Every structure is written in structure tokens, then in C-alpha cells.
Amino acid sequence: MSEYEKLVARGRELAVLGSTASVLSWDQETYLPPAGVAFRAEQMAELSSLAHTRATAPEIGEWLASCEGANGKLDPLQRANVREWRRDYDKATRLPNRLVKELTEATSLARERWVAARQERDFEQFRPALEKVLALTHEKADCLREGKDGLSAYDALLDEYEPGAEAEALRPVFAELRDAIVELLPAALAISEQAQVNRLRGDYPQAKQEEFNRAAAMAIGFDFDAGRIDTTTHPFCTGLGPRDVRLTTRYDERDFTSSFFGVLHEVGHGLYGQGLRADAFGTPAGEDVSLGIHESQSRLWENQVGRSEAFWRVWYPTAREVFGNLEGLEMDEFLLIVNRVEPSYIRVEADELTYNLHIILRFELEQALFDGSLAVADLPGAWNEKFESMFGFAVDHDSNGCLQDVHWSLGALGYFPTYTLGNLNAAQLFDAAREQIEGFDAQLATGDYSGLLAWLRENVHEKGRTLSPDELMRAATGRPTEAHHLVSYLRQKYAEA
Ligand code: ZN
């Protein structure tokens, strides 16, 4: 076996272990009875320690060095795999065991404190634990960027979720988006005032919602022979291996749109999973590239496709038929309702327009926390001040403010910007698809999504990790991630309506 083949074999072994762990956690989120939780934790710990040992074994370093020395003999795809394996190996071996252990303990305590603090609306209960997590996260960032001149500590964290992304490059893009949103907000609010949400409320039995969601998921290309949809309180999508993608959703029997848009979102993630090359399973070429690209796939189907007039011209008659109680609600009214803007305290409940303000606020604050210009003790004040200046109303208590998200308790700094990157990329990829696919609008108008899906398969899904997210965006759209695609999409929707 050549060194390269040894890397392929180890990669497959690790991917099988990883997907086995995914089966266990999927089961935990969906069907595991409460009494089984403790044993499940033992199973997960055993698996993850096995995977860690196999992923950090010294022989991998030798195989990599040998492949890197013989780079000329590898084809471009093999070179890309070696580059990504190196990345994974360095990440896995750079952190000292002591630090990994301390981080695990500190984040599990911080998460516990965060739950309690959020419940009691008392930031002070969370503060010391967050300070500890931040200090350790700093140490982690320093280990990750060792020997990488010019990589900032924050970017070392960002790179975990969005390989190659830099805060410096994101700032102007996010600033342009923020200005545009602030400018659009009054017009969007004026339009949204006409939306009469209560006119949509009705009786939508779960079984009928499942039927409708399934029909739409199939129409946009989700393969139910290679995936399924189950019920959870927190919707997610997870790949359990090649040709096995699991989605979850939750149901509100008074409003079918909550599960419907949730499903469209997760189906977008799922299509990415189903579009990865099964023959490359276990190698980087068969893996998803970043959170910002993943989120672009969910947002594109949820928003660019799913909230459009063209989509509902096809699907509203079906919705009326399935639910039998939408006769009194005209499609135009329905469109107003599902596109309405309603600023709120809570990120996860936010509409398409203000969602990005929530992210920009977090992006700015986490950088300040991380570089030390903002003390943890001053976080609630800084949050509330920023929130009021962006949204125009004051935060009433910290659980509606800086205590609402779990991410920082887990040390996941650098994660938030990937949500807005997803929104930006979705708009940009959709524009590129429209430009490159002949008869694009006519296809969508008849409910034919195969051209769009084929384009995404070719330009995004099948690329795996052979390109960095930035290279992928440039190859697919001709440009790096920019603000103006999303800005003109939002403008068309809210300023020119
Ligand atoms: Zn998502």
C-alpha cells in the first residue's frame, strides 16, 4: 500500500467511527428513552477516544510528510486531499491533552451555569465560568496559530468553522450589509404592518403538515430512499454516512409555516449531504467544506426559493387542498405574512432582514471580548447598548439579551459569522445560478427545481473540500463573498414592493 492509500484507509476508518457516533447522537435527539442517556454518554466517550487516538497517531504524520514530499506524483484531487488531511491532523495534534481536558470541563460547567443563569435572568451567575472558557479558548487559539505568521487569534478560531476566513475581510462586507438593513428597516416595517398573521392561524394537523412538507421536499429533490424526517424540539440535519441523511423538525398545529420553512431549511442542508460524492466518503473530497457554505444551501431553499412568489404560485393551491382551510386567505396576503419583518430580542426567532443584525452584533462583541477590549463583566451593558442602537428598542433583561445563545459557553467564538456568511452566499449563489442556467425563472415558475439542484450539485456539493470556501465562491460565482447580492434581494423584497 502506498502512503497515500494508507491515508485513504485511515480516513475511511475515521469517517466510519465518526458516522457511528452521529447515529448515536441522532438517536439521542430523537428516540432515546431518558433512562438510556447515561449509558449513551459512555458509548460516545469510548468512541470519541478511539477516534482521537486513531486520528492523532504519529504514523499519519509520516504518511503525510511522505505524500507532501512526492506532491508531483499526485493528481490534483489527491493533492487537495493531502492538504486537507494535513489541516485535520495539525488541528487534532496541536492542542495539548491537558488543554483539551480543561476545555471540556470548563465548557461543560459553563453550559450548566448558562442554563441556570438564563433561567434566572442573572448574568452574574454565568460570568466566572465564561471568563474561564474565554481564557482557555485564547490558549487554544494560540496553539492553533503557532508558526502561522500573521494569523490572528480570533481568525484561528474562525478558521475552525470557516476555513481561511478572516475577520478583517468580513468586517467591510458585514458593515455594508448592516447599513443597508438599517436603511431598509422602516420600509420593511411599513409593509409588514399589513400582514395579518392571525388570518393564517387555523387547524393544521401534524399528519397533514407531514404530507405537505414531504411533497415539497421531494419536489425540490430530497431523496427519501437516502434520508428521513423525524420530530424533535430543536430541528437539525445530520449525515449518518453516504446515502443516509436525517432531518428533524417540530410542529405547531396552529400554523403550518413554522414546520414547513424549518423543513425547507433542513432539506437544503440535507441536499448538500446527499450531494456529497459517496465514492469519496472518508476523504476530504467527499466532505462538506464549511458552516458558511452549508448554511448557504439551507437558506437558499428556505428563502430565495421558498419565500418567493414563484414558489407559492405552484404550491399554494396544493397547500389549500391539503389543509382545506386556506380558502379565505389570498395568496398575496399569505406572501406578506411569511415575508414579514418583526424585530425581536431573540436571534432564532428573527426574520430574514433583522437576523443579520443579530449576527453582526455578536460578531462585534465576541471580537471585543476576545481581544480584551471588552471585559466579561461589561458584556450585558455593551450588548444592551449595541442592541438598542441597532434595533431601536431596549433589551428588557439579559435572557432576552446576552444570555440567549449557548455558543459562547461552549467556547464557540467565531461561529456566529458563519450564519450571515450563509445568507450572503445563498443570495450570491442564487444570482449566479439564475445567470448561468437557461430558462431559470421559467423552470421555477413551473415547479421544476432540477436545473437549480443540478447546478448546486456541480458547483457546490460535489466539490467537497477540494476548494476552500472562498475558492468555491469564486469558482461558482466569479467573485468572493460580497454583500450586494443579498442587499439587492432584500431591497427588491422590501423597498420596491
Ligand atoms: Zn442551518
Side-chain angles (χ1 to χ4, degrees):
M1 238 204 282
S2 72
E3 264 65 29
Y4 182 81
E5 286 163 342
K6 288 177 187 164
L7 285 167
V8 171
R10 181 64 58 91
R12 185 158 183 110
E13 184 192 325
L14 290 170
V16 169
L17 284 175
S19 58
T20 308
S22 301
V23 177
L24 295 181
S25 50
W26 170 82
D27 174 67
Q28 180 160 3
E29 297 293 328
T30 47
Y31 297 111
L32 184 72
V37 170
F39 180 66
R40 178 57 43 87
E42 193 183 328
Q43 290 175 305
M44 296 290 287
E46 196 65 45
L47 262 179
S48 103
S49 130
L50 182 59
H52 183 75
T53 309
R54 299 295 284 161
T56 55
E59 65 263 23
I60 298 180
E62 289 158 25
W63 301 336
L64 280 170
S66 148
C67 286
E68 286 157 350
N71 235 338
K73 292 192 197 124
L74 301 176
D75 65 34
L77 184 100
Q78 293 173 325
R79 280 205 292 276
N81 279 335
V82 170
R83 182 195 70 218
E84 292 302 303
W85 274 321
R86 163 62 71 192
R87 194 184 134 79
D88 295 345
Y89 184 68
D90 284 352
K91 274 190 193 302
T93 52
R94 271 166 178 252
L95 304 183
N97 281 335
R98 172 213 41 96
L99 180 59
V100 174
K101 202 163 158 260
E102 279 184 59
L103 257 169
T104 309
E105 285 164 8
T107 52
S108 91
L109 177 73
R111 199 200 146 109
E112 220 179 281
R113 292 284 150 82
W114 168 74
V115 170
R118 189 168 79 147
Q119 201 135 36
E120 289 169 37
R121 304 179 177 178
D122 176 16
F123 180 76
E124 204 41 40
Q125 279 191 43
F126 177 48
R127 184 187 51 78
L130 179 59
E131 281 167 348
K132 175 87 183 155
V133 168
L134 267 180
L136 290 169
T137 305
H138 240 290
E139 243 189 274
K140 173 182 163 185
D142 286 336
C143 291
L144 290 173
R145 72 195 180 111
E146 211 181 288
K148 295 188 176 169
D149 288 342
L151 183 66
S152 78
Y154 181 80
D155 286 350
L157 299 177
L158 187 54
D159 184 77
E160 295 263 283
Y161 312 105
E162 200 63 22
E166 288 170 1
E168 191 73 35
L170 295 185
R171 266 178 227 126
V173 179
F174 283 22
E176 186 183 336
L177 179 61
R178 175 191 164 150
D179 291 348
I181 294 171
V182 169
E183 187 198 310
L184 276 172
L185 203 46
L189 289 173
I191 297 170
S192 303
E193 255 173 39
Q194 303 159 32
Q196 293 183 280
V197 190
N198 58 335
R199 307 236 311 128
L200 177 63
R201 301 249 188 270
D203 182 24
Y204 305 95
Q206 180 172 329
K208 300 239 170 184
Q209 293 190 46
E210 286 173 5
E211 179 192 336
F212 184 62
N213 295 350
R214 195 177 164 95
M218 277 170 73
I220 67 176
F222 189 74
D223 178 359
F224 280 90
D225 284 334
R228 47 179 291 141
I229 303 179
D230 293 270
T231 307
T232 44
T233 37
H234 302 287
F236 64 91
C237 164
T238 182
L240 302 189
R243 314 268 308 127
D244 186 357
V245 171
R246 307 298 174 93
L247 318 180
T248 67
T249 191
R250 58 177 165 221
Y251 298 91
D252 173 355
E253 294 200 314
R254 303 283 300 147
D255 177 356
F256 78 95
T257 62
S258 136
S259 85
F260 184 75
F261 286 106
V263 163
L264 273 191
H265 181 96
E266 300 307 334
V267 162
H269 285 301
L271 288 171
Y272 188 10
Q274 290 183 341
L276 294 170
R277 289 176 42 188
D279 65 327
F281 176 73
T283 69
E287 286 163 3
D288 54 274
V289 67
S290 75
L291 293 181
I293 297 296
H294 229 305
E295 193 68 4
S296 77
Q297 300 307 289
S298 55
R299 290 299 196 181
L300 184 147
W301 291 104
E302 176 193 356
N303 293 335
Q304 270 75 18
V305 175
R307 289 183 205 273
S308 70
E309 188 182 332
F311 183 84
W312 287 101
R313 279 208 183 285
V314 176
W315 287 94
Y316 202 58
T318 312
R320 280 186 160 161
E321 212 176 282
V322 171
F323 298 118
N325 54 1
L326 288 163
E327 277 71 27
L329 188 69
E330 290 308 316
M331 192 185 80
D332 289 350
E333 296 181 80
F334 174 78
L335 280 171
L336 260 180
I337 293 170
V338 299
N339 283 293
R340 74 191 181 279
V341 168
E342 235 171 8
S344 74
Y345 298 123
I346 306 295
R347 173 184 65 87
V348 295
E349 293 166 4
D351 55 76
E352 235 184 316
L353 187 68
T354 58
Y355 188 91
N356 297 297
L357 292 181
H358 287 276
I359 296 305
I360 292 165
L361 176 143
R362 285 154 179 77
F363 177 54
E364 291 174 3
L365 288 176
E366 70 180 12
Q367 290 174 83
L369 275 177
F370 202 61
D371 71 21
S373 59
L374 174 64
V376 173
D378 298 328
L379 175 61
W383 180 293
N384 297 347
E385 194 184 318
K386 218 175 247 305
F387 184 90
E388 192 165 353
S389 84
M390 280 178 163
F391 287 81
F393 56 99
V395 173
D396 51 356
H397 55 78
D398 289 341
S399 298
N400 278 338
C402 67
L403 282 175
Q404 66 183 271
D405 292 308
V406 69
H407 302 58
W408 290 338
S409 75
L410 304 172
L413 282 89
Y415 191 115
F416 283 122
T418 68
Y419 292 115
T420 284
L421 273 173
N423 291 329
L424 293 165
N425 291 338
Q428 189 163 332
L429 288 166
F430 190 76
D431 280 356
R434 169 174 274 149
E435 220 176 273
Q436 294 172 33
I437 299 171
E438 208 173 311
F440 182 80
D441 288 311
Q443 287 175 16
L444 294 195
T446 57
D448 175 4
Y449 310 103
S450 60
L452 175 57
L453 180 58
W455 189 89
L456 292 170
R457 289 258 186 270
E458 186 187 336
N459 289 283
V460 181
H461 309 170
E462 286 163 9
K463 297 288 182 212
R465 289 165 65 190
T466 58
L467 302 177
S468 73
D470 178 60
E471 289 167 342
L472 185 150
M473 288 304 293
R474 286 173 195 266
T477 73
R479 303 285 301 160
T481 301
E482 292 173 327
H484 70 91
H485 297 275
L486 180 57
V487 167
S488 44
Y489 162 82
L490 293 170
R491 218 166 249 154
Q492 218 164 41
K493 185 178 273 201
Y494 297 115
E496 291 156 21

